[in-house]
C-alpha cells in the first residue's frame, strides 16, 4: 500500500526517520477502521525499511486523536453491508454473530495490533497535542517515547460515557499507577501534560509552535545510536515489563472488556455493546466537557474545560 486515504507517510534525513501522520483532522483523527488498517500497513512499512531508525507518530489538525470513530458517515459506511463496506468487516470474525464477532474483531484490530505496534522493531515516538482521549491513549502508549506540547491532555472517558471498563489495550495501571488509573477511569477526568510528565508518562513538553520541530530534533538524537543498540534497549525494557506481568495483565483486561460488551449486548437485546439511554445510560453525543482531575476538588469547573469528544 503506497498511498493512504487517512494517513500521511514520509521519511526525512536520508530515510532514517519515518513520520506517520493521522490525517482525519475534520473528525479529530477519530480512528475509523480504514485508518487503523492503513496505520498497521504504515508501521510495517517503516519496520521493513532497514534505513529507518526512528518512527514518529503524530496527528494533523487540532488534536492527536479523539479515540475510536463512533458515528461519522465514513465509519457507518465502512461497517454497513454494501459496496462501501471495508473488507476488514468480512474477516477476523466479522462474518460471525454475537460475542464471537465483537471479541475477534476487537482482538485483532484494537488489541493485538496495538500490542504488535508496541513491539515494533524500531524506536517509536508519539508526538501529541490537544486532547488525547480513550483509544488515542492506546496509540500513544504503544510508542516507546511520548513528547507533548502544552495543550495536551489525557483522558479515558469510556467508563463515564459508555459504561465500559477502559479501552481494549489496558495499559492504564502501568502508565498511571493503580489508584490514579481507578480515579481517572471512574470519573473520566483528564490529566495535564505537566502531570503526565511528573509521573513519567511523557518524556518532553514543548511549546505548541515548536512541537513538530523539537520532535524531529529528539528523533535525530536517538537515530544517532546504532540501530541494534536501540533495539536491545527497547527489548530489554519491554521484556522486563512483560516479566513483571504486563502482557498477562493486558490479556486479562481485554477479556473483561469483552465481558463488559457482552453485558450491554444482553441488556439491550442485541442492539448495542455499550451503555446507551435505552439501558439507563446517557448519550455520548450529549456528554458534558471533560474536566481536569484536580487534587483538592471533587470535580473541576467545566467552564475551564474542553467540550465533549467522539472518544471511545
Amino acid at each position: 500500500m503506497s498511498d493512504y486515504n487517512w494517513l500521511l507517510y514520509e521519511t526525512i534525513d536520508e530515510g532514517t526517520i519515518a513520520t506517520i501522520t493521522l490525517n482525519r483532522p475534520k473528525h479529530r483523527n477519530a480512528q475509523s477502521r480504514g485508518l487503523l488498517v492503513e496505520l498497521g500497513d504504515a508501521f510495517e512499512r517503516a519496520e521493513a525499511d532497514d534505513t529507518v531508525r526512528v518512527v514518529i507518530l503524530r496527528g494533523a489538525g487540532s488534536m492527536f486523536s479523539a479515540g475510536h470513530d463512533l458515528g461519522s458517515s465514513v465509519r457507518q459506511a465502512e461497517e454497513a453491508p454494501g459496496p462501501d463496506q471495508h473488507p476488514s468487516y468480512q474477516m477476523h470474525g466479522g462474518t460471525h454473530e454475537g460475542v464471537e464477532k465483537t471479541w475477534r474483531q476487537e482482538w485483532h484490530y484494537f488489541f493485538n495490533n496495538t500490542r504488535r505496534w508496541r513491539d515494533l522493531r524500531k524506536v517509536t515516538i508519539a508526538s501529541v497535542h490537544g486532547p488525547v482521549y480513550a483509544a488515542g491513549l492506546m496509540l500513544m502508549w504503544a510508542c516507546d517515547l511520548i513528547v507533548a506540547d502544552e495543550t495536551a491532555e489525557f483522558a479515558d472517558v469510556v467508563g463515564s460515557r459508555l459504561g465500559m471498563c477502559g479501552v481494549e489495550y489496558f495499559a492504564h495501571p502501568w502508565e498511571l499507577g493503580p489508584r490514579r488509573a481507578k480515579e481517572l477511569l471512574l470519573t473520566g477526568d483528564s490529566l495535564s501534560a505537566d502531570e503526565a510528565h511528573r509521573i513519567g508518562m511523557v518524556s518532553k513538553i514543548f511549546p505548541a509552535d515548536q512541537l513538530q520541530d523539537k520532535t524531529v530534533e529528539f528523533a535525530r538524537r536517538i537515530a544517532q545510536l546504532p540501530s541494534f543498540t536501540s533495539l536491545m534497549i527497547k527489548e530489554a525494557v519491554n521484556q522486563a515489563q512483560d516479566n513483571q506481568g504486563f502482557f498477562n495483565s493486558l490479556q486479562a483486561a481485554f477479556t473483561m472488556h469483552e465481558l463488559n460488551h457482552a453485558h450491554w449486548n444482553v441488556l439491550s437485546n442485541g442492539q448495542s455493546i455499550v451503555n446507551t439511554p435505552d439501558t439507563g445510560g446517557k448519550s455520548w453525543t450529549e456528554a458534558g466537557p471533560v474536566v481536569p482531575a484536580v487534587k483538592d476538588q471533587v470535580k473541576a469547573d467545566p467552564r475551564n474545560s474542553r467540550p465533549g469528544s467522539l472518544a471511545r
Side-chain angles (χ1 to χ4, degrees), residues 55-301:
V55 181
I56 297 171
L57 177 64
R58 62 191 181 200
S62 62
M63 63 190 298
F64 176 69
S65 177
H68 288 152
D69 187 340
L70 293 183
S72 77
S73 59
V74 169
R75 192 258 189 225
Q76 293 174 20
E78 284 182 337
E79 186 174 11
D84 295 326
Q85 185 181 53
H86 195 276
S88 65
Y89 285 97
Q90 292 295 317
M91 59 182 75
H92 297 296
T95 63
H96 294 288
E97 300 293 335
V99 173
E100 182 179 8
K101 177 179 179 177
T102 304
W103 189 301
R104 291 180 60 178
Q105 285 267 295
E106 292 201 343
W107 184 90
H108 183 82
Y109 293 106
F110 299 159
F111 173 73
N112 198 50
N113 274 357
T114 309
R115 193 175 60 81
R116 165 84 175 89
W117 301 333
R118 179 244 188 186
D119 290 328
L120 204 77
R121 302 294 83 185
K122 308 285 182 177
V123 173
T124 54
I125 302 174
S127 180
V128 304
H129 66 291
V132 183
Y133 290 159
L137 297 175
M138 290 169 47
L139 298 188
M140 179 186 76
W141 284 340
C143 293
D144 299 306
L145 300 167
I146 300 168
V147 299
D149 75 9
E150 299 159 324
T151 70
E153 62 176 50
F154 312 96
D156 189 345
V157 297
V158 300
S160 59
R161 301 189 178 192
L162 299 177
M164 292 297 298
C165 56
V167 289
E168 294 83 357
Y169 182 85
F170 194 79
H172 307 60
W174 300 85
E175 298 285 355
L176 305 169
R179 286 191 175 82
R180 180 61 63 84
K182 290 176 184 177
E183 176 194 351
L184 297 184
L185 285 164
L186 289 167
T187 63
D189 289 350
S190 66
L191 202 67
S192 69
D194 283 337
E195 180 64 8
H197 181 269
R198 188 191 69 80
I199 66 175
M201 190 177 85
V202 166
S203 298
K204 306 287 184 185
I205 302 175
F206 300 120
D209 61 351
Q210 299 179 27
L211 177 63
Q212 185 167 325
D213 290 342
K214 290 294 185 181
T215 303
V216 171
E217 285 184 36
F218 195 33
R220 283 174 176 151
R221 181 180 179 188
I222 294 165
Q224 293 173 4
L225 210 61
S227 58
F228 192 64
T229 302
S230 297
L231 179 58
M232 289 299 96
I233 290 171
K234 171 172 179 162
E235 188 67 7
V237 174
N238 282 7
Q239 286 196 21
Q241 199 175 24
D242 286 342
N243 286 330
Q244 293 169 346
F246 181 69
F247 174 72
N248 288 339
S249 295
L250 288 181
Q251 292 272 37
F254 177 73
T255 299
M256 285 185 278
H257 182 94
E258 296 307 310
L259 176 61
N260 204 160
H261 275 321
H263 171 75
W264 296 119
N265 193 45
V266 169
L267 291 187
S268 67
N269 294 316
Q271 298 304 303
S272 177
I273 59 172
V274 298
N275 194 13
T276 67
D278 290 337
T279 50
K282 297 180 180 179
S283 171
W284 60 268
T285 60
E286 299 174 356
V290 175
V291 299
V294 180
K295 67 179 181 181
D296 59 352
Q297 297 179 30
V298 172
K299 184 176 181 179
D301 189 338

Side-chain angles (χ1 to χ4, degrees), residues 6-19:
W6 311 115
L7 302 177
L8 301 175
Y9 183 98
E10 64 175 336
T11 59
I12 60 173
D13 288 16
E14 299 180 337
T16 59
I17 298 172
T19 299

